[in-house]
Amino acid sequence: MSRYAEPMARLIEELKKLPGVGTKSAQRFAFHVLRSSDEDAAALADAVRALKASLRLCSICNNVTDVDPCAYCTSPVRNQRLVCVVEEPTSIASVERTRGYQGVYHVLHGTLSPLHGVGPDQLRTHNLLARVERGEIDEVILATSPTLEGEATASWLASTLRSHSVKITRIATGVPAGSDIEYADEVTMARAMEGRREL
Ligand code: ZN
């Protein structure tokens, strides 16, 4: 039996499902919520509910958005024929920080990882392949992280796209090998984009 009252144990259990949150952090968060005002606790619950109710994935690029298609995919000032492929919606921020990129995105929501049972079918690629097949894209920049999984994903995508008339490039290894592009600083990321090579 839990040493906490049922509502507290329930919140702790839910918080522990968050990435990087262990039992100790979950307990700290739960007690913080308990001590906070009714308004603050309600605002937190509302924000979680509203997030799920109002956000969806862009049908063109899979970015998380409240309007479909998303702001990138409908932007008249962005080059809609230049597509940067990233692993997660959060990776877009790393590329945007360079301020030099004027194309659009495609979010895979993961990488190939046979050990974790993630194969090509689990990645969200069908809408990217459809865009390429329709001849809507001139260049696909593979900006997955230089990790084992990121590299495997980039080579798989390159070989899948090769039969189509589209330029395929891979970001340079200015991003330290084995690291996540999310943590690349803007100068490193800008160099990685500028130094991209054709596959
Ligand atoms: Zn989009």
Side-chain angles (χ1 to χ4, degrees):
M1 206 181 122
S2 167
R3 56 204 170 100
Y4 294 117
E6 200 276 331
M8 187 53 119
R10 183 176 155 206
L11 180 57
I12 291 170
E13 276 316 302
E14 291 306 319
L15 289 167
K16 275 166 65 181
K17 293 178 185 169
L18 298 172
V21 177
T23 306
K24 279 230 166 71
S25 302
Q27 289 168 349
R28 210 171 63 240
F29 294 155
F31 277 100
H32 176 83
V33 172
L34 182 66
R35 280 192 299 265
S36 54
S37 67
D38 287 357
E39 289 76 26
D40 281 352
L44 176 65
D46 273 357
V48 172
R49 218 172 279 123
L51 178 83
K52 289 305 285 180
S54 63
L55 292 189
R56 70 209 75 192
L57 298 188
C58 171
S59 55
I60 297 176
C61 73
N62 305 331
N63 184 24
V64 175
T65 178
D66 56 348
V67 282
D68 184 20
C70 75
Y72 294 117
C73 291
T74 50
S75 168
V77 296
R78 285 184 172 262
N79 179 357
Q80 298 287 335
R81 302 187 64 84
L82 175 64
V83 176
C84 180
V85 176
V86 293
E87 292 168 17
E88 299 294 343
T90 46
S91 318
I92 291 179
S94 312
V95 180
E96 285 297 297
R97 272 202 301 271
T98 68
R99 295 169 204 274
Y101 181 65
Q102 285 303 317
V104 292
Y105 294 94
H106 180 86
V107 186
L108 297 172
H109 291 269
T111 45
L112 290 181
S113 179
L115 284 177
H116 298 99
V118 184
D121 292 345
Q122 275 77 48
L123 293 183
R124 294 174 185 271
T125 54
H126 68 280
N127 38 1
L128 174 68
L129 299 178
R131 282 157 97 189
V132 169
E133 274 165 23
R134 288 196 299 266
E136 294 172 6
I137 299 176
D138 293 328
E139 179 180 350
V140 172
I141 305 170
L142 301 170
T144 50
S145 303
T147 54
L148 214 57
E149 289 87 359
E151 293 294 355
T153 308
S155 1
W156 174 77
L157 260 174
S159 62
T160 306
L161 296 170
R162 196 155 285 142
S163 53
H164 301 280
S165 58
V166 62
K167 186 175 172 185
I168 307 159
T169 54
R170 176 83 174 110
I171 52 166
T173 46
V175 181
S179 69
D180 200 299
I181 74 154
E182 242 177 83
Y183 305 111
D185 64 75
E186 58 201 69
V187 176
T188 310
M189 193 63 218
R191 279 198 197 124
M193 286 293 266
E194 277 162 21
R196 67 185 187 264
R197 61 183 201 283
E198 193 158 358
L199 293 180

